């Protein structure tokens, strides 16, 4: 079993080195600004939801979606490391207005599997801390994870665009779920140098 694992790792390393030698040159620094869908939030917080403890239904709901910014440093053709912040707001009215916010801070890892002149395909992983706060001055911390199953970056030159499929999840325990499969689809504008 151990021999098979070592052989697979060595073979993968050799194939990655060969692929890297054939790929075009890359830019080391990338800054991204993007938006991701608030699917979980729209399903969990909507006007048809069950009444609150006071028997009042939520109304006038609003969502910002996930607004995020990221910096990445590309180590080689395959591996990029970075740092991402993600912010979202969820708003509604019961007897008073409620404004809830989530701020996530995540170190990121990106693995690029295809790097051509016009298209890059990649996957990624990020894990960090989410700060949930509201206008009633409540604050909680929870772990947060963002997985990019497939990212497609398109463009040539310093400006590119990205479409990502994945999911963001944050929960404190079984009773405190902040996000579960949120940000399934994200888009961003990127600048690289």
């Amino acid at each position: 079993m151990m021999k098979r694992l070592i052989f697979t790792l060595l073979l993968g390393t050799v194939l990655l080195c060969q692929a890297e030698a054939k790929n075009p040159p890359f830019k080391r620094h990338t800054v991204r600004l993007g938006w991701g869908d608030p699917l979980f939030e729209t399903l969990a917080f909507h006007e048809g939801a069950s009444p609150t403890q006071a028997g009042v239904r939520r109304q006038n709901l609003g969502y910002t979606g996930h607004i995020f910014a990221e910096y990445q440093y590309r180590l080689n053709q395959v591996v990029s490391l970075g740092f991402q912040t993600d912010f979202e707001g969820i708003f509604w009215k019961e007897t008073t207005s409620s404004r809830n916010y989530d701020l996530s801070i995540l170190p990121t890892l990106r693995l690029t599997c295809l790097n051509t002149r016009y298209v890059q395909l990649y996957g990624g992983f990020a894990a960090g801390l989410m700060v949930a706060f509201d206008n009633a001055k409540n604050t909680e911390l929870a772990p947060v994870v963002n997985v990019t199953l497939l990212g497609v970056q398109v463009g040539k030159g310093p400006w590119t665009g990205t479409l990502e499929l994945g999911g963001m999840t944050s929960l404190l325990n079984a009773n405190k779920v902040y996000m579960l499969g949120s940000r399934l689809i994200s888009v961003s504008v990127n600048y690289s140098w």
Side-chain angles (χ1 to χ4, degrees):
M1 178 72 171
M2 188 63 152
K3 288 181 183 178
R4 196 177 287 168
L5 177 64
I6 292 171
F7 176 76
T8 303
L9 289 173
L10 287 173
L11 180 61
T13 302
V14 169
L15 291 174
L16 284 174
C17 290
Q18 286 179 339
E20 188 171 334
K22 296 175 185 175
N23 287 327
F26 60 89
K27 295 179 171 86
R28 290 219 183 258
H29 307 275
T30 300
V31 175
R32 303 187 326 139
L33 182 60
W35 181 87
D37 73 87
L39 180 63
F40 172 79
E41 293 80 356
T42 58
L43 294 174
F45 302 97
H46 56 86
E47 292 187 14
S50 59
T52 62
Q53 293 175 351
V56 179
R57 291 195 181 272
R58 292 183 179 124
Q59 56 187 346
N60 302 331
L61 277 91
Y63 318 91
T64 63
H66 292 266
I67 301 163
F68 63 92
E70 182 175 5
Y71 168 78
Q72 292 176 13
Y73 179 77
R74 196 150 180 190
L75 298 173
N76 55 39
Q77 291 280 4
V78 177
V79 180
S80 299
L81 299 175
F83 186 80
Q84 184 178 111
T85 57
D86 180 284
F87 180 81
E88 72 168 333
I90 307 161
F91 318 104
W92 67 79
K93 187 171 184 172
E94 292 170 2
T95 52
T96 60
S97 293
S98 182
R99 294 186 304 273
N100 300 275
Y101 305 98
D102 297 330
L103 173 65
S104 300
I105 302 164
L106 309 113
T108 63
L109 168 68
R110 177 189 279 194
L111 301 173
T112 302
C113 58
L114 176 69
N115 185 35
T116 68
R117 187 173 304 226
Y118 297 100
V119 177
Q120 289 182 18
L121 298 179
Y122 61 89
F125 179 79
L129 184 67
M130 186 198 70
V131 181
F133 57 99
D134 61 25
N135 61 319
K137 299 186 180 173
N138 298 311
T139 304
E140 283 191 331
L141 304 175
V144 62
V145 173
N146 186 33
V147 176
T148 302
L149 300 174
L150 175 65
V152 180
Q153 183 172 313
V154 179
K156 181 183 174 190
W159 292 98
T160 58
T162 301
L163 171 69
E164 291 181 345
L165 304 175
M168 188 174 230
T169 300
S170 178
L171 53 103
L172 192 56
N173 56 46
N175 297 322
K176 284 279 190 173
V177 178
Y178 292 99
M179 292 178 267
L180 185 61
S182 192
R183 205 173 128 181
L184 298 175
I185 299 172
S186 298
V187 293
S188 68
V189 174
N190 318 313
Y191 182 78
S192 300
W193 69 99

